[in-house]
């Protein structure tokens, strides 16, 4: 595996315990994409402890079903228990950046591996007495926020939701699209909100046979069109990009820095959405960031309906210098009546989140709340 591009401060560690917990949290409103609707999240939290008694928390960002990618919560539990934990527990690690290497023989399952990897970065940051964002090389104290708005039952409901988010100060709006909920919907949004920064995410719902429907989106001045084509298809995206004015942003397709390099070389996208889980954790996210920065390809931080721990990790990631576009990093209250961190993630009237100077995550954990939501737990030693 290539070395990390930047020399980051390292703290050797030996993990003595990996704690898995599955919690359940109802969303304040259902979230619908081209691949399905979610009303309640199941979330796998990972707590790591090292031989000095230091603790770190991570969140596995997969869904409840294998429809966004191949992972889901119950499978992630088994992958961590049966394959990752035995390779990591008790091993002398030079740093958190070293953790991914130990589970590298496992194909895929990056969200499962990434949840543990992120927990180790948090542990390392805490041991160094530094905020996680600084520890990974972050360069800004404030991150720009956008919102992702799911498919609604009617255009009028969608317009009302967008109005509320614009009013709240969010810097850009992403709407989910699918065949039959696309150009006409975007036209209605543009009519009501001519000046907002607007984009659309198809979550792989189209193919090149839909070229004409996708070209109809070109007249609306979208910032980007996210992942229109298949989750694993770069060449068709390159062909589409050549026939589309709107920049394509890849999400599902980019799982490694190698994929980012290939996508850029092929001209398959102009922008990349980096999700911590999808790429297997901070080390790979940093590599993708560096590849894109070198190629002058803007990146932004995607979201997976995370609870507080995952949200805090996304905020840290968003402070890297190449994250120049507003991410899907938004306030806890958009998703949860009560988050598992305290305070919850809050967004200013300018649509920004101020990062904390506290060591590690930068947010306190509401352990009582986590306890009350836990439906399954296991400590691996
Ligand atoms: O494609 O970005 C996506 C949520 C679940 C699965 C995939 C995606 C999303 C989002 C939500 O768009 C972003 C968020 O967490 O706010
Ligand atoms: Mg997406």
């Amino acid at each position: 595996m290539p070395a990390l591009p930047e020399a980051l401060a390292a703290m050797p560690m030996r993990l003595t315990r990996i704690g898995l917990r599955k919690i359940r949290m109802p969303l304040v409103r259902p979230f619908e994409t081209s691949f399905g609707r979610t009303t309640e999240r199941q979330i796998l939290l990972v707590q790591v402890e090292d031989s000095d008694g230091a603790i770190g928390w991570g969140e596995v960002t997969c869904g409840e079903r294998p429809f966004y990618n191949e992972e889901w919560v119950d499978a992630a539990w088994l992958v961590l228990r049966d394959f990752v934990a035995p390779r990591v527990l008790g091993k002398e690690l030079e740093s958190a950046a070293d953790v991914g290497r130990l589970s590298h023989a496992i194909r895929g399952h990056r969200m499962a591996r990434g949840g543990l990897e992120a927990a180790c970065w948090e542990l390392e940051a805490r041991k160094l007495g530094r905020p996680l964002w600084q520890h990974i090389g972050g360069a800004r104290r404030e991150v720009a926020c956008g919102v992702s708005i799911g498919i609604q039952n009617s255009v009028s409901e969608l317009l009302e939701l967008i109005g509320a988010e614009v009013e709240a100060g969010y810097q850009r709006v992403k709407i989910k699209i699918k065949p039959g909920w696309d150009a006409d919907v975007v036209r209605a949004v543009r009519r009501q909100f001519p000046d907002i920064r607007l984009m659309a995410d198809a979550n792989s719902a189209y193919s090149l046979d839909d070229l004409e429907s996708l070209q109809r989106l070109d007249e609306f001045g979208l910032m980007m069109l996210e992942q229109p084509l298949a989750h694993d298809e770069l060449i068709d995206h390159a062909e589409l990009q050549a026939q589309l004015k709107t920049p394509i942003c890849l999400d599902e397709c980019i799982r490694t820095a190698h994929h980012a390099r290939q996508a850029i070389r092929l001209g398959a996208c102009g922008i990349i959405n980096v999700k911590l889980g999808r790429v297997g954790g901070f080390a790979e996210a940093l590599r993708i960031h560096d590849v894109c920065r070198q190629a002058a390809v803007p990146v932004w931080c995607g979201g997976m309906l995370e609870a507080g721990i995952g949200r805090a990790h996304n905020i840290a990631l968003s402070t890297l210098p190449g994250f120049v576009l507003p991410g899907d990093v938004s306030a806890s209250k958009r998703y949860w009546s009560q988050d598992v961190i305290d305070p919850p993630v809050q967004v200013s009237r300018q649509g920004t989140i101020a990062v904390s100077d506290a060591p590690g995550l930068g947010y306190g954990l509401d352990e009582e709340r986590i306890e009350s939501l836990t439906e399954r737990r296991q400590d691996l030693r």
Side-chain angles (χ1 to χ4, degrees), residues 31 33 35 68 148 174 176 201 203 226 251-252 273 275 303-306 311 328 330 334-335:
F31 190 84
T33 67
F35 61 81
Y68 166 79
S148 175
K174 158 167 138 183
K176 294 291 193 178
D201 184 0
N203 287 108
E226 186 174 339
D251 173 354
E252 284 88 329
N273 161 337
K275 287 181 181 167
M304 288 295 294
L305 314 178
E306 289 91 344
R311 219 159 270 279
D328 282 344
S330 59
R334 295 190 60 251
Y335 293 102

Side-chain angles (χ1 to χ4, degrees), residues 220-298:
F220 304 115
L222 299 179
M223 284 176 87
M224 67 193 97
L225 171 61
E226 186 174 339
Q227 195 69 38
L229 309 180
H231 69 102
D232 54 356
E233 177 55 64
L234 287 181
I235 292 170
D236 286 359
H237 275 110
E239 205 167 303
L240 176 62
Q241 184 68 90
Q243 301 180 74
L244 213 59
K245 283 186 245 145
T246 309
I248 291 175
C249 169
L250 290 176
D251 173 354
E252 284 88 329
C253 275
I254 308 299
R255 298 171 311 280
T256 64
H258 179 65
H259 293 145
R261 239 177 262 113
Q262 286 180 314
I264 293 167
R265 220 168 92 194
L266 286 167
C269 63
I271 299 170
I272 288 178
N273 161 337
V274 182
K275 287 181 181 167
L276 203 47
R278 194 193 69 225
V279 307
F282 280 106
E284 197 65 19
L286 286 164
R287 288 185 200 103
I288 293 172
H289 166 267
D290 289 13
V291 164
C292 291
R293 209 161 172 227
Q294 196 131 39
V297 168

Side-chain angles (χ1 to χ4, degrees), residues 43-118:
I43 296 172
L44 174 48
L45 300 180
V46 184
Q47 194 190 41
V48 293
E49 183 174 346
D50 80 350
S51 52
D52 297 327
I55 296 284
W57 283 90
E59 178 172 332
V60 175
T61 64
C62 62
E64 296 69 35
R65 299 173 297 267
F67 300 154
Y68 166 79
N69 66 2
E70 81 287 358
E71 302 191 69
W72 76 100
V73 174
D74 292 332
W77 183 290
L78 296 179
V79 167
L80 283 166
R81 186 191 71 187
D82 295 347
F83 298 103
V84 181
R87 283 170 168 78
V88 173
L89 281 167
K91 299 278 163 43
E92 298 292 340
L93 295 166
E94 272 172 48
S95 68
D98 204 22
V99 179
R101 182 180 54 80
L102 295 176
S103 64
H104 202 238
I106 300 164
R107 298 268 192 258
H109 298 285
R110 291 189 173 82
M111 290 172 165
R113 288 153 53 203
L116 175 84
E117 199 252 22

